[in-house]
Amino acid sequence: MARFIFITGGVVSSLGKGLMAASLAALLQTRGYRVRIRKFDPYLNVDPGTMSPYQHGEVYVTDDGAETDLDLGHYERFTGVASRQSDNVTSGRIYKTIIERERRGDYLGATVQVIPHVTDAIKAFALAETDDVDFVLCEIGGTVGDIESLPFIEAIRQLKNELGRGNAISIHVTLVPYIAAAGELKTKPTQHSVRELAALGVQPDVLVCRCEQPLPPSERAKIALFCNVPETAVIPALDAKSIYAVPLQYHGEGLDSEVLRAFGITPSSAPDLSRWEEIVERLEHPEGEVTIGVVGKYVGLQDAYKSLNEALVHGGIANRVKVNIRWIDAELFEGDEAEIAAQLEPCHAILVPGAFGSRGAEGKIESVRFARERRVPYFGICFGMQMACVEGARDLAGIEHASSTEFGPTDEPVVGLITEWMSERGLEKRAADGDLGGTMRLGAYPAKLTGNSVVASVYGADEIEERHRHRYEVNTAYRERLEAGGLVFSGLSPDGMLPEIVERPDHPWFVGVQFHPELKSKPFDPHPLFASFIAAAVKQSRLV
Ligand code: GLN
């Protein structure tokens, strides 16, 4: 049976609980254990699919088509274990299920309540599909003390009791702030937060203390005393140079051995940390650097492009170079050629990532043109592929008014809606009802690659599977004209209906993909497209 590790956070948000969970899971893997990580989000949205990237950051998509919290991206990048729909649940989803059952009369007249109905649903979610792993890590979003996380804490309390000692532990992540005026680290917020958790019936087994200064032994002892844990179970967590240095840092502080101790497990062998040592080695000692211009919309909002940012770093790891990302706001330079050149000339390669809506679209089309004409490596992802096709249609295929129906009615819908997918998934009704959730082509789909294409050699395969999140598709009715303009359709859905990849064979590196390869890239297994793109940027950097 799987053992459970529940992870809560206290004092403030943004303490890096997700990274802690991902790092701990990675460390357990280095000791040969099989892991799965789950995220419970206490908010009332059914999933993050409809939430603004400004508020919530990227929506991470799983193979099975779930729109989930970006922490699942960290989990997958650190463990290599593909996340599933069943790894992320929100209060909204739980309440929706319960209310639907109640309306159907499934509760046979009983009063439906937070305890036991909501807590039972949370417990069932935590326990489901866990037979194939040794450890399940469950991270609770939010901060202890929030009203909305109460049912989750109560469910943990019950589960710790039901599963028994040795089968379930909890870790609380807190902050030990440094007060400059006093020149001291303060443990009181941690004490209060643990007291609050204890009042809800959950005594943490391990405390992870984020701090900006090293935690002296005296303060460690004080936290242990007041929070009722052994001194060794107080794990200091200083800021790391890179997120990929976090697992080794936690290992150095004894996190994984403390967790095993809390379960009563004596480790039989030393962990094999070589995978993480190699990544940190490459990140800390790059042999060069490149600058990638990312022309997007949510500039300054790193979380909105979390996976993309990481995949570019992974491409750097593959090529032993440091990747500097220059975030460029597409709206800034629309129609202003001098500004376009000023922004893009310092870049060794240009990437246009996924996006929704017309804002900034013309600026992105102009960056495609710049990359094509100046022979700078270009990578278009989802919206970036669609705009590469619009640019090709307008500038090389003579389709002056080429556009996407996403921007409004057009005579030349080079990019249009994918209604066929909606009917296949029985989604027309939801769309007609004005329900914005779930009307997209979501999750993993296969694609067939053309034999002697750039992408076939990059992947070293003729069939691939990648994750999607979009409503629109490049319209195959324009294929011949676009190909006459030099844009080759080198990847298609197996039925040949949907263009998945376009490329320009006459260009040093010009690839557009309808899917999101960044979602599957890992530091120890960089995505081949990102590795190849960064290699092209390295080549470009030697030319200029
Ligand atoms: N807005 C475009 C679509 O829905 C592209 C989406 C994306 O880039 N993820 O098809």
Side-chain angles (χ1 to χ4, degrees):
M1 202 192 90
R3 293 180 168 92
F4 288 80
I5 302 171
F6 299 106
I7 297 159
T8 53
V11 186
V12 292
S13 58
S14 302
L15 286 180
K17 267 186 309 195
L19 269 179
M20 198 287 290
S23 301
L24 175 57
L27 288 173
L28 291 167
Q29 285 182 319
T30 67
R31 293 177 179 275
Y33 293 111
R34 296 161 304 164
V35 296
R36 176 157 289 284
I37 319 181
R38 299 198 147 149
K39 175 93 192 269
F40 301 67
D41 280 310
Y43 52 72
L44 290 179
N45 302 63
V46 172
D47 63 41
T50 56
M51 287 162 87
S52 157
Y54 287 102
Q55 278 197 22
H56 195 262
E58 153 185 287
V59 173
Y60 188 77
V61 179
T62 60
D63 278 335
D64 59 359
E67 297 181 282
T68 69
D69 187 83
L70 58 76
D71 273 330
L72 274 81
H74 286 313
Y75 303 165
E76 200 170 319
R77 281 188 284 278
F78 276 64
T79 62
V81 176
S83 303
R84 304 191 284 231
Q85 167 80 69
S86 56
D87 293 326
N88 188 202
V89 79
T90 67
S91 291
R93 182 181 296 279
I94 288 175
Y95 278 92
K96 183 169 181 274
T97 315
I98 290 177
I99 290 169
E100 278 167 4
R101 272 192 220 150
E102 187 273 335
R103 291 290 86 186
R104 280 199 308 265
D106 291 359
Y107 294 104
L108 306 173
T111 308
V112 183
Q113 295 181 295
V114 173
I115 306 171
H117 299 99
V118 172
T119 45
D120 279 355
I122 295 170
K123 289 196 289 181
F125 168 76
L127 298 172
E129 298 172 37
T130 52
D131 292 342
D132 56 343
V133 291
D134 302 305
F135 288 97
V136 181
L137 292 82
C138 298
E139 179 194 347
I140 320 293
T143 308
V144 166
D146 297 346
I147 290 177
E148 56 185 17
S149 56
L150 284 174
F152 292 94
I153 309 288
E154 169 60 14
I156 294 178
R157 185 192 68 76
Q158 295 179 17
L159 274 174
K160 280 186 85 173
N161 263 336
E162 288 162 20
L163 296 166
R165 271 188 100 59
N167 294 319
I169 66 161
S170 70
I171 302 179
H172 191 54
V173 185
T174 75
L175 178 69
V176 180
Y178 178 73
I179 306 296
E184 281 177 19
L185 284 164
K186 292 293 181 189
T187 65
K188 198 71 86 188
T190 295
Q191 295 177 36
H192 281 297
S193 176
V194 171
R195 195 169 306 159
E196 181 130 25
L197 191 56
L200 300 170
V202 176
Q203 165 64 45
D205 300 277
V206 175
L207 289 177
V208 170
C209 301
R210 288 297 304 274
C211 42
E212 284 173 16
Q213 305 271 339
L215 192 64
S218 59
E219 299 311 291
R220 205 168 167 174
K222 196 162 154 191
I223 294 173
L225 178 69
F226 283 101
C227 300
N228 203 22
V229 295
E231 254 178 73
T232 51
V234 179
I235 308 289
L238 280 146
D239 295 343
K241 272 200 217 135
S242 123
I243 59 170
Y244 300 117
V246 173
L248 291 178
Q249 197 164 314
Y250 272 129
H251 177 71
E253 297 290 0
L255 176 65
D256 44 326
S257 41
E258 253 335 281
V259 164
L260 293 180
R261 186 203 51 77
F263 279 109
I265 300 171
T266 314
S268 51
S269 59
D272 175 8
L273 300 165
S274 49
R275 178 193 249 191
W276 294 100
E277 285 160 352
E278 167 77 13
I279 291 166
V280 170
E281 212 301 298
R282 284 180 177 235
L283 284 173
E284 285 182 0
H285 304 103
E287 289 165 6
E289 56 186 285
V290 291
T291 300
I292 309 298
V294 177
V295 186
K297 192 156 76 163
Y298 309 108
V299 173
L301 280 172
Q302 286 236 19
D303 274 0
Y305 299 114
K306 192 83 218 161
S307 296
L308 177 70
N309 187 68
E310 296 311 318
L312 286 167
V313 172
H314 305 163
I317 292 175
N319 290 281
R320 292 184 179 273
V321 291
K322 178 168 186 281
V323 175
N324 303 308
I325 303 178
R326 190 180 165 105
W327 301 99
I328 300 166
D329 184 344
E331 272 183 303
L332 268 185
F333 56 47
E334 273 179 359
D336 181 346
E337 277 194 30
E339 184 62 21
I340 295 172
Q343 293 283 345
L344 296 180
E345 269 169 3
C347 304
H348 303 122
I350 295 168
L351 189 151
V352 174
F356 291 85
S358 60
R359 196 155 62 77
E362 291 302 324
K364 292 174 190 179
I365 292 167
E366 288 172 63
S367 353
V368 176
R369 183 180 304 127
F370 180 96
R372 180 178 57 73
E373 289 179 349
R374 303 276 193 109
R375 302 180 63 76
V376 177
Y378 176 80
F379 194 2
I381 294 180
C382 205
F383 195 77
M385 162 179 169
Q386 297 172 358
M387 294 309 105
C389 292
V390 170
E391 192 276 337
R394 287 185 190 171
D395 295 342
L396 295 174
I399 309 167
E400 200 189 328
H401 297 119
S403 186
S404 165
T405 55
E406 186 171 3
F407 312 148
T410 166
D411 299 339
E412 301 286 5
V414 169
V415 180
L417 259 188
I418 51 170
T419 37
E420 60 273 28
W421 286 99
M422 292 167 69
S423 62
E424 185 177 294
R425 291 184 162 214
L427 293 170
E428 305 97 319
K429 186 168 174 311
R430 292 179 64 179
D433 288 346
D435 180 345
L436 290 180
T439 55
M440 284 197 253
R441 184 180 178 208
L442 282 168
Y445 287 90
K448 287 216 151 83
L449 309 182
T450 310
N452 48 14
S453 59
V454 168
V455 284
S457 75
V458 166
Y459 276 97
D462 53 14
E463 181 152 346
I464 56 163
E465 199 175 79
E466 293 281 5
R467 296 183 196 166
H468 293 246
R469 181 174 188 253
H470 57 108
R471 291 192 177 85
Y472 297 83
E473 295 279 357
V474 173
N475 189 341
T476 37
Y478 289 89
R479 179 173 180 176
E480 268 178 29
R481 279 183 284 171
L482 287 172
E483 291 202 325
L487 198 58
V488 171
F489 286 40
S490 53
L492 291 164
S493 58
D495 62 6
M497 296 287 289
L498 301 172
E500 300 280 27
I501 306 177
V502 296
E503 62 184 64
R504 289 197 173 275
D506 61 353
H507 187 281
W509 205 97
F510 190 108
V511 175
V513 296
Q514 187 55 76
F515 44 81
H516 289 275
E518 70 273 23
L519 299 176
K520 293 214 320 197
S521 188
K522 299 174 183 85
F524 42 81
D525 186 14
H527 192 287
L529 282 172
F530 281 90
S532 172
F533 177 58
I534 297 297
V538 172
K539 241 191 214 166
Q540 180 74 10
S541 74
R542 299 205 176 112
L543 296 178
V544 290

